[in-house]
């Protein structure tokens, strides 16, 4: 079978992870890399025997079979427009934008071009998440409590709201995506931010956010997010149904079902591999297991924007009506 040639736009931390995974897949070649910082593109390309390109246009002109867009949240838009105009399958890292306007514009282009897309919500591929879905089958969720309690990641754009979209949009979006995956859509959100940035240079985002979520199913939930620690304390969800309690993280699922308790563990790297494998298989026409195409990621993004907007404006917000 032919080799699938993949181009990368953005050559930072997450691009390096995708490049490692993709290079380990059979019949896949990381063929080209472009970055606004040429040295970053050269470094990553050099590790994978790929070419570097000065611009997105040059990378696309070389005819890759698919493209990964791994730019920071503020930089989304131009890359996606170019990849879609070229008619190529596109993997986009989350968050898909910092606002609603670019995300909905790109979603419309994806729809119009019937483009094959995937977004990096890899948690949905974790065996512990699949197990949680099985256990919850037929057991209506009453309560979900989500948390992302962490540090400021070591990238300069992260603590600046106009660059990252803020901690909920940028980071807690993984947990919000999981909440939607398990409990369905959220129809109302109310949130508070604590108003004080984390103690790092230039930060202007809230150091802590708390939100209340009302799901369309009748379930209720909350989210607690902070970035003021020097370490990752916890990121995950607790889920409660009648006689059932689940505690889910990227590495573990603890199930208490009546008197029975079971703990299942997993390696987060399994999700990293599976999300890329599913995209590549879809590009090659060998599989149909893309769990978060662009339109689905837009729903999660709208939920995260609704939390951010509610915290900023002090009012109840309906996801999808948010215009952060
Ligand atoms: N799914 C996950 O688990 C996961 C993990 C880490 C990061 N991410 C996401 O990936 C995105 C990137 O994060 P990162 O840690 O790689 O950031 P990073 O800052 O390490 O890398 C981003 C790279 O993009 C380049 N860049 C910026 N604008 C560009 C443009 N217009 N065209 C081409 N290149 C451009 C930068 O020069 C930089 O090299 C973020 O949205 C982040 O949330 C997702």
């Amino acid at each position: 079978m032919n080799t699938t040639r993949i181009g990368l736009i953005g050559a930072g931390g997450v691009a390096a992870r995708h490049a490692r995974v993709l290079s380990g897949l059979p019949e896949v070649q990381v063929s080209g890399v472009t970055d606004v910082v040429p040295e970053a593109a050269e470094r990553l390309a050099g590790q994978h025997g790929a070419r570097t390109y000065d611009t997105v246009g040059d990378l696309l002109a070389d005819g890759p079979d698919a493209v990964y867009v791994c730019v920071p949240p503020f930089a989304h838009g131009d890359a996606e427009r170019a990849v879609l105009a070229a008619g190529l399958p596109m993997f986009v890292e989350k968050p898909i934008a910092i606002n609603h306007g670019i995300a909905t514009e790109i979603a419309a282009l994806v729809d119009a071009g019937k483009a094959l897309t995937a977004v990096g919500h890899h948690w949905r591929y974790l065996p512990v998440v699949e197990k949680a879905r099985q256990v919850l089958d037929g057991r209506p969720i009453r309560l979900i409590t989500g948390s992302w309690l962490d540090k400021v990641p070591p990238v300069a754009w992260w603590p600046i709201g106009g660059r990252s979209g803020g901690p909920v949009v940028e980071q807690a979006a993984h947990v919000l995506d999981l909440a939607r995956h398990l409990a369905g859509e959220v129809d109302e959100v109310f949130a508070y931010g604590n108003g004080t940035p984390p103690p790092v240079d230039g930060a202007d985002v809230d150091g802590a956010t708390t939100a209340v979520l009302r799901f369309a199913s009748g379930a209720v939930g909350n989210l607690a997010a902070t970035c003021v620690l020097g370490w990752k304390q916890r990121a995950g969800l607790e889920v409660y149904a009648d006689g059932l309690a689940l505690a889910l993280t990227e590495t573990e699922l603890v199930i208490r079902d009546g008197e029975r308790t079971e703990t299942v563990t997993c390696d987060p790297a399994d999700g990293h591999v599976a999300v890329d494998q599913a995209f590549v298989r879809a590009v090659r026409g060998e599989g149909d297991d893309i769990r978060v195409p662009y339109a689905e990621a837009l729903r999660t993004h709208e939920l995260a924007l609704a939390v951010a907007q509610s915290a900023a404006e002090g009012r109840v917000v309906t996801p999808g009506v948010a215009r952060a």
Side-chain angles (χ1 to χ4, degrees):
M1 193 110 198
N2 294 342
T3 297
T4 300
R5 299 173 71 246
I6 294 186
L8 304 178
I9 301 174
V14 83
R17 188 176 85 199
H18 287 299
R20 261 195 318 275
V21 170
L22 291 167
S23 291
L25 298 178
E27 287 146 352
V28 175
Q29 181 195 0
V30 176
S31 58
V33 184
T34 187
D35 194 293
V36 289
V37 179
E39 304 77 46
E42 278 155 25
R43 201 167 40 243
L44 185 58
Q47 291 164 7
H48 296 278
R51 287 188 57 186
T52 56
Y53 299 91
D54 291 342
T55 67
V56 170
D58 293 342
L59 178 131
L60 295 175
D62 194 37
D65 297 306
V67 175
Y68 274 60
V69 179
C70 297
V71 300
F74 65 87
H76 286 284
D78 286 345
E80 286 90 337
R81 288 183 201 104
V83 174
L84 293 170
L88 292 174
M90 177 174 78
F91 186 111
V92 183
E93 259 309 335
K94 47 59 57 184
I96 51 178
I98 53 169
N99 59 23
H100 199 234
I102 288 178
T104 49
E105 180 210 329
I106 302 301
L109 293 175
V110 166
D111 197 37
K114 301 198 181 344
L116 177 65
T117 59
V119 176
H121 284 295
H122 61 267
W123 284 47
R124 292 209 195 185
Y125 290 88
L126 292 170
V128 286
V129 172
E130 291 172 352
K131 174 82 176 176
R133 295 248 301 175
Q134 285 162 16
V135 174
L136 286 164
D137 190 29
R139 315 274 296 263
I141 293 173
R142 302 270 198 166
L143 172 67
I144 282 206
T145 75
S147 52
W148 198 294
L149 314 172
D150 204 343
K151 58 185 176 301
V152 172
V155 278
W157 48 263
W158 199 93
I160 304 163
R163 309 291 273 172
S164 67
V168 173
V169 167
E170 212 287 333
Q171 199 170 54
H174 279 302
V175 162
L176 293 174
D177 184 66
L178 210 52
R180 288 187 54 246
H181 187 48
L182 297 177
E185 300 301 341
V186 171
D187 59 17
E188 272 188 5
V189 167
F190 185 77
Y192 282 117
N194 92 319
T196 303
V200 300
D201 285 347
D204 66 2
V205 297
D206 276 327
T209 306
T210 185
V212 178
L213 315 173
R214 192 185 73 184
F215 290 81
S217 67
V220 292
N222 58 42
L223 173 74
T226 188
C227 55
V228 300
L229 306 175
W231 62 92
K232 188 171 185 178
Q233 176 78 11
R234 179 174 174 78
L237 276 183
E238 275 137 47
V239 186
Y240 302 93
D242 294 3
L244 178 66
L246 307 183
L248 180 60
T249 68
E250 221 179 341
T251 56
E252 187 179 77
L253 171 66
V254 181
I255 306 164
R256 168 96 193 242
D257 191 352
E259 291 309 307
R260 197 181 64 86
T261 300
E262 181 185 356
T263 299
V264 186
T265 58
C266 82
D267 183 347
D270 292 348
H272 300 158
V273 173
V275 71
D276 286 337
Q277 206 159 30
F279 178 65
V280 167
R281 285 178 58 78
V283 169
R284 294 174 63 83
E286 295 171 351
D288 182 20
D289 189 27
I290 289 178
R291 301 188 184 177
V292 187
Y294 198 92
E296 178 68 7
L298 176 62
R299 306 297 295 266
T300 293
H301 186 54
E302 287 175 334
L303 174 54
L305 288 174
V307 173
Q309 185 176 3
S310 178
E313 298 178 3
R315 63 179 182 85
V316 171
V317 174
T318 299
V321 180
R323 294 287 184 273

